[in-house]
């Protein structure tokens, strides 16, 4: 599984994975992540996602994801 800023070749892309705040900490997000990983495993394809938050990165690493790159975000006219 990949946690990166770009994937090459065929892959499963997890565009959005989120849970309602009232459901967080109850295993709902884990079940969604397990389902996404099962799809990739079934297709024999790597699973790819992007995240912008260290807290989320630690969660994804529990599912076997590894960071393979990062890109700093820049805001035009911002500080």
């Amino acid at each position: 599984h990949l946690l990166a800023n770009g994937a090459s070749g065929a892959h499963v892309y997890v565009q959005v994975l989120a849970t309602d705040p009232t459901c967080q900490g109850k295993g709902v997000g884990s079940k969604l992540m397990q389902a996404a990983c099962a799809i990739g495993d079934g297709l024999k394809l790597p699973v790819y996602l992007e995240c912008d938050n260290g807290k989320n990165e630690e969660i994804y690493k529990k599912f076997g994801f590894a960071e393979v790159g990062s890109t700093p975000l820049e805001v035009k006219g911002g500080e």
Side-chain angles (χ1 to χ4, degrees):
H1 306 304
L2 307 172
L3 177 63
N5 63 336
S8 60
H11 62 278
V12 173
Y13 178 60
V14 179
Q15 185 173 14
V16 175
L17 192 144
T19 58
D20 185 275
T22 61
C23 296
Q24 293 175 356
K26 298 179 181 177
V28 175
S30 291
K31 288 182 182 181
L32 291 170
M33 196 75 254
Q34 289 167 352
C37 291
I39 291 168
D41 292 344
L43 295 170
K44 298 187 183 337
L45 292 173
V47 178
Y48 163 80
L49 59 82
E50 300 171 326
C51 76
D52 63 351
N53 173 315
K55 177 183 172 187
N56 292 341
E57 186 175 331
E58 291 305 312
I59 292 168
Y60 296 133
K61 285 182 179 180
K62 292 179 184 177
F63 289 93
F65 285 83
E67 181 178 345
V68 295
S70 65
T71 302
L73 296 176
E74 296 180 25
V75 178
K76 289 185 177 183
E79 296 180 32

